[in-house]
Amino acid sequence: MNDPKVNLRAMEPEDLDELYTIENDREVWNVGHTNVPYSRYALHDYIAHQQADIYADRQVRLIVENDEKQLVGIVDLVNFDPQHRRAEFGIVVKQAFRRMGYGRLAVERLLHYAQHVLHLHQVYVLVDAGNHEALKLFQQSGFQEGTRLKDWLFDGKSYHDVRLMQFFF
């Protein structure tokens, strides 16, 4: 089986509807750091005013698209710390494109960017300890599993532990 092809690119105003759907997916909220819906206006404003400079924005968010120019997901580096040359890794692959290899390729592309363009020393990710697919994805991509943070995420009903995973260049 041939691997799919992925491209990482900057966000464009045309991505607004897809971004709105992804950011307001409650399933994603339970594994991330946000729990409030985003308005179209707020997302449009974000796309329009991001400086595309990780030093100014302290983050970079990129669209993952396939050969057919379909938006399959989003990857980002947030909580950028230039002094310590590290950032937190994030990824969301749309449901229709999961388990097809896009996530693994997107992780590889963003790691390459983090090392060769941003010259980071490490990236880290916090993964819900029960999200076995995400844990496997990051393990297979070379992330080292570290500390377990107890009761780190709250989904509205219960607390979930997370695993801190790090990738060193």
Side-chain angles (χ1 to χ4, degrees), residues 1 4 23 30 41 48-49 65 67 72 78-79 97 101 115 117 120 122 132 134 136-137 143-144 149 151 165:
M1 182 174 139
E23 291 290 355
N30 290 339
Y41 176 81
H49 293 100
E65 65 180 14
D67 273 351
V72 301
V78 299
N79 298 323
F97 296 100
Q115 179 181 20
V117 176
L120 296 182
Q122 70 171 295
H132 302 292
K136 182 178 175 182
L137 169 67
F143 281 75
Q144 298 173 21
L149 301 171
D151 292 348
M165 302 181 78

Side-chain angles (χ1 to χ4, degrees), residues 25-37:
D25 180 351
R26 289 183 179 268
E27 180 183 314
V28 175
W29 289 359
N30 290 339
V31 296
H33 299 290
T34 189
N35 61 359
V36 295

Side-chain angles (χ1 to χ4, degrees), residues 32-33 126 149-154 159-163:
H33 299 290
L126 298 171
L149 301 171
K150 187 150 180 63
D151 292 348
W152 198 258
L153 299 174
F154 183 66
Y159 288 94
H160 300 262
D161 296 355
V162 300
R163 297 303 307 225

Side-chain angles (χ1 to χ4, degrees), residues 2-148:
N2 292 335
D3 280 337
K5 303 272 189 286
V6 299
N7 181 47
L8 301 184
R9 63 167 177 80
M11 284 191 278
E12 299 288 347
E14 296 78 22
D15 298 320
L16 180 61
D17 289 336
E18 295 271 17
L19 187 61
Y20 180 81
T21 300
I22 291 169
E23 291 290 355
N24 289 302
D25 180 351
R26 289 183 179 268
E27 180 183 314
V28 175
W29 289 359
N30 290 339
V31 296
H33 299 290
T34 189
N35 61 359
V36 295
Y38 285 95
S39 70
R40 288 185 192 282
Y41 176 81
L43 292 171
H44 180 273
D45 190 56
Y46 172 78
I47 293 170
H49 293 100
Q50 67 178 342
Q51 296 181 35
D53 177 357
I54 195 167
Y55 288 92
D57 297 332
R58 293 292 194 241
Q59 66 178 343
V60 61
R61 302 191 77 199
L62 301 168
I63 298 298
V64 180
E65 65 180 14
N66 63 15
D67 273 351
E68 291 80 38
K69 305 292 184 200
Q70 295 171 303
L71 189 152
V72 301
I74 300 171
V75 290
D76 54 26
L77 294 170
V78 299
N79 298 323
F80 171 62
D81 185 331
Q83 178 182 355
H84 301 293
R85 295 178 40 220
R86 67 176 174 241
E88 182 177 350
F89 194 106
I91 183 171
V92 175
V93 175
K94 290 173 50 178
Q95 187 70 37
F97 296 100
R98 292 181 186 163
R99 295 177 197 85
M100 300 171 74
Y102 290 112
R104 180 179 50 81
L105 292 170
V107 169
E108 287 176 11
R109 299 288 189 286
L110 193 59
L111 288 174
H112 184 270
Y113 176 79
Q115 179 181 20
H116 296 286
V117 176
L118 300 176
H119 307 289
L120 296 182
H121 170 64
Q122 70 171 295
V123 295
Y124 64 94
V125 63
L126 298 171
V127 181
D128 185 316
N131 188 342
H132 302 292
E133 289 181 35
L135 289 168
K136 182 178 175 182
L137 169 67
F138 288 110
Q139 287 168 344
Q140 290 176 340
S141 297
F143 281 75
Q144 298 173 21
E145 203 165 326
T147 302
R148 183 181 199 105

